[in-house]
Amino acid sequence: MAFTNSGFPEIRAIFLAQFHPDQGPIVRMSVPEDAVDVGENAYTDTGATNRSSELRDTGAMGGIVSSNNNFAHEPEVVELIKRTTARGGPSLVDSSKIDFNSIQTLIIPKLTLFERLITVNTGRFKVMCYPVAIEGNYARNMFIFNMCFAFDISADTKCYGPVVKRVGSLLKELEVTGRLLSDVAGTRALLTMMRQLVNKLNDHGEYQIELDLKGLSQPMASTGISIKLFPYYENPATIEAFHVPVKLVDFDVARRKSAQTVYQQHASNDIMWDLVLDKVAEGIDNVNHVRRIARQAQIPEPTVVLALQHLDYYGCIALVDIFQFSNVYEAQARVKDVMRNGWLQRECHAYVTRDGQAGTVSLERLIQLYATVRQRRTVAEWIVDNCIDVERFDVRRFIVFGVLHGMLRRVHCFPVLCASVESADKEPSRRGSNSGSGSGDEEPLKLEPRVVAMLDGTHHLDEICVAENKDAAVMRGLLDSYGGIEYVHL
């Protein structure tokens, strides 16, 4: 995958496709000029007539140009995979070019896909586009076009979604107000814009140009276009009360950098940061879980979750499970990454050893220790088996580092109440109430109904402990005393 100087995927080509009233789908222009292989156009006059009739018969033509989109309930992004296959012989298409004939029905699609982001994979390329149709005084009463962006097939193009949509919407507006696309006089301005888009977005990640519209029926002789790429962040993960946030950045440095970005000057010691984030950040010590942070900060838990989701969205924290010496972990295939990645080895050694002391644990020993972590052995048992010196070796950091980098996986314990015991619990003679047993004075051990409801195999022990505010050993003792509990480790 190729990246630009700005860190975004490189645009390989841009081409403008249109629906010609006689020829059907065509490529009007492209940058570079030979980026698209049009071959022999599959659409004849008859094919074009049938295609136009198909579009008209779909109905609701005005819906695609009005502000009230009739297809608003449908997904905005449509991802399609189109593989070119040869029939009866090898393909004659140049693999270094975009095969337009294989994707033309997706570039000029049916009405239900208009004004939607569409991603099409073809050959070595991934094509993103935003098809637009405008009803008006045109041949066949409709003008259909699509400005398409081509990338490497392996490129992550999520950051280009808003750009492709903005370009399509902008061209639609310029066509409605001044016939930029349908008028031959606008060809030069269009070609200039396409060249600038490729060069500026690849080199700088942003684009700004004054478009010369002389000779067109525009209210102004020129118009400015500004486009900027922004990183794409996945939606934050669901944060539960038992999750433990782990810092990935220095919050003090983050405060000052954000202030410098906003005010463009040296940040003072009195930095105005969000009050909730400030209180929540004070409670993040890589040990406290979400509910404990909320109690210490005296902030409602849903508000703390929102603050943590904000930090997670921008990559300031990661989420792990509550660390206890009774936890069980297992090594993953990514353990081999630490053998080949020098940076990962140095980071692991500095993070795990106490105060980064050199010579306390060798790199070879670290790799060996990760490989020895396996199921059915608690962390405490693993420490004894491997003679770990906890004075020099931070076991919690060792486990957390492995989880964050995918080298270790937590094996959760799910308590399940057997159905037979659950039904027997409803009988009056349950637990210590049998006459003549000599234990009639003993209080029967009972669990709260909310705890019993969580013993259905869908809630692990950490979740139950946090909900009841009890230690894992205490909760497990209560469950064992209650009886009829089976433990499933997954």
Side-chain angles (χ1 to χ4, degrees), residues 79-85 87 99-107 119-127 153:
E79 294 193 7
L80 304 168
I81 298 177
K82 183 71 175 180
R83 292 187 174 91
T84 58
T85 56
R87 295 183 178 180
D99 182 12
F100 180 71
N101 285 338
S102 68
I103 60 174
Q104 59 181 349
T105 57
L106 305 176
I107 299 300
T119 302
V120 183
N121 292 346
T122 175
R124 296 165 49 189
F125 298 95
K126 177 182 293 186
V127 179
I153 187 114

Side-chain angles (χ1 to χ4, degrees), residues 237 240 450 487:
E240 304 290 350
R450 61 177 180 272
Y487 297 98

Side-chain angles (χ1 to χ4, degrees), residues 25-247:
I26 62 170
V27 176
R28 178 175 171 184
M29 61 183 70
S30 66
V31 176
E33 294 183 3
D34 59 346
V36 183
D37 187 347
V38 294
E40 295 183 1
N41 201 323
Y43 280 87
T44 61
D45 291 346
T46 305
T49 303
N50 294 337
R51 180 66 166 168
S52 180
S53 300
E54 179 186 355
L55 291 174
R56 286 199 300 269
D57 294 341
T58 306
M61 289 198 180
I64 57 177
V65 294
S66 64
S67 58
N68 297 324
N69 197 327
N70 293 334
F71 308 107
H73 64 282
E74 298 183 4
E76 186 179 70
V77 179
V78 180
E79 294 193 7
L80 304 168
I81 298 177
K82 183 71 175 180
R83 292 187 174 91
T84 58
T85 56
R87 295 183 178 180
S91 175
L92 301 178
V93 178
D94 188 350
S95 61
S96 63
K97 298 181 180 181
I98 302 168
D99 182 12
F100 180 71
N101 285 338
S102 68
I103 60 174
Q104 59 181 349
T105 57
L106 305 176
I107 299 300
I108 307 295
K110 294 185 179 181
L111 284 181
T112 53
L113 294 180
F114 278 99
E115 298 194 16
R116 301 282 189 270
L117 284 175
I118 298 178
T119 302
V120 183
N121 292 346
T122 175
R124 296 165 49 189
F125 298 95
K126 177 182 293 186
V127 179
M128 289 189 71
C129 56
Y130 186 77
V132 176
I134 303 174
E135 187 180 11
N137 187 20
Y138 300 100
R140 305 185 187 277
N141 299 323
M142 181 173 288
F143 182 76
I144 301 173
F145 70 93
N146 196 350
M147 183 68 78
C148 305
F149 291 66
F151 308 86
D152 290 334
I153 187 114
S154 59
D156 184 0
T157 57
K158 294 176 182 177
C159 59
Y160 275 93
V163 171
V164 176
K165 183 177 179 180
R166 174 171 170 77
V167 170
S169 302
L170 179 63
L171 291 177
K172 175 184 176 181
E173 181 180 353
L174 293 175
E175 171 61 25
V176 171
T177 58
R179 299 296 180 108
L180 174 64
L181 284 81
S182 58
D183 195 333
V184 179
T187 301
R188 181 177 179 181
L190 270 175
L191 193 56
T192 300
M193 184 189 75
M194 293 170 64
R195 288 172 178 168
Q196 292 290 329
L197 271 173
V198 175
N199 295 332
K200 296 296 184 181
L201 291 181
N202 281 346
D203 293 341
H204 308 291
E206 58 185 55
Y207 165 77
Q208 186 171 2
I209 187 177
E210 288 290 330
L211 204 59
D212 186 6
L213 303 177
K214 293 179 181 179
L216 298 173
S217 56
Q218 289 278 359
M220 297 180 293
S222 64
T223 183
I225 301 175
S226 299
I227 295 175
K228 184 177 177 63
L229 285 169
F230 292 94
Y232 178 85
Y233 298 101
E234 295 286 350
N235 291 332
T238 302
I239 298 180
E240 304 290 350
F242 53 85
H243 282 146
V244 176
V246 177
K247 295 180 183 179

Side-chain angles (χ1 to χ4, degrees), residues 401-419:
F401 188 91
V403 172
L404 290 179
H405 290 83
M407 296 183 290
L408 298 179
R409 183 185 73 87
R410 171 73 187 279
V411 180
H412 281 287
C413 175
F414 293 84
V416 181
L417 179 62
C418 297

Side-chain angles (χ1 to χ4, degrees), residues 160-372:
Y160 275 93
V163 171
V164 176
K165 183 177 179 180
R166 174 171 170 77
V167 170
S169 302
L170 179 63
L171 291 177
K172 175 184 176 181
E173 181 180 353
L174 293 175
E175 171 61 25
V176 171
T177 58
R179 299 296 180 108
L180 174 64
L181 284 81
S182 58
D183 195 333
V184 179
T187 301
R188 181 177 179 181
L190 270 175
L191 193 56
T192 300
M193 184 189 75
M194 293 170 64
R195 288 172 178 168
Q196 292 290 329
L197 271 173
V198 175
N199 295 332
K200 296 296 184 181
L201 291 181
N202 281 346
D203 293 341
H204 308 291
E206 58 185 55
Y207 165 77
Q208 186 171 2
I209 187 177
E210 288 290 330
L211 204 59
D212 186 6
L213 303 177
K214 293 179 181 179
L216 298 173
S217 56
Q218 289 278 359
M220 297 180 293
S222 64
T223 183
I225 301 175
S226 299
I227 295 175
K228 184 177 177 63
L229 285 169
F230 292 94
Y232 178 85
Y233 298 101
E234 295 286 350
N235 291 332
T238 302
I239 298 180
E240 304 290 350
F242 53 85
H243 282 146
V244 176
V246 177
K247 295 180 183 179
L248 299 181
V249 298
D250 189 332
F251 287 164
D252 292 333
V253 174
R255 289 190 187 96
R256 299 184 186 280
K257 283 190 175 182
S258 62
Q260 291 175 3
T261 302
V262 173
Y263 301 109
Q264 298 298 321
Q265 61 184 9
H266 180 70
S268 62
N269 292 328
D270 186 17
I271 298 174
M272 299 298 293
W273 216 30
D274 185 87
L275 296 179
V276 174
L277 281 178
D278 221 0
K279 294 289 291 183
V280 171
E282 291 178 2
I284 299 178
D285 60 356
N286 303 343
V287 176
N288 291 337
H289 53 73
V290 173
R291 181 156 296 175
R292 184 179 296 170
I293 293 174
R295 290 173 178 171
Q296 291 179 352
Q298 298 182 352
I299 299 175
E301 187 174 312
T303 306
V304 173
V305 169
L306 289 176
L308 293 175
Q309 285 181 329
H310 183 80
L311 295 174
D312 181 37
Y313 181 79
Y314 288 103
C316 298
I317 62 171
L319 301 173
V320 297
D321 300 301
I322 301 173
F323 174 79
Q324 299 176 95
F325 287 99
S326 59
N327 289 356
V328 178
Y329 298 87
E330 66 174 355
Q332 300 295 290
R334 294 192 64 180
V335 169
K336 62 180 181 294
D337 292 347
V338 77
M339 304 178 186
R340 296 177 286 193
N341 192 324
W343 172 86
L344 191 62
Q345 293 175 2
R346 292 188 295 271
E347 288 293 317
C348 180
H349 189 269
Y351 187 77
V352 169
T353 55
R354 297 282 187 181
D355 301 324
Q357 297 178 7
T360 53
V361 180
S362 64
L363 292 175
E364 293 79 4
R365 178 62 171 162
L366 280 178
I367 299 173
Q368 180 185 7
L369 289 175
Y370 274 120
T372 58

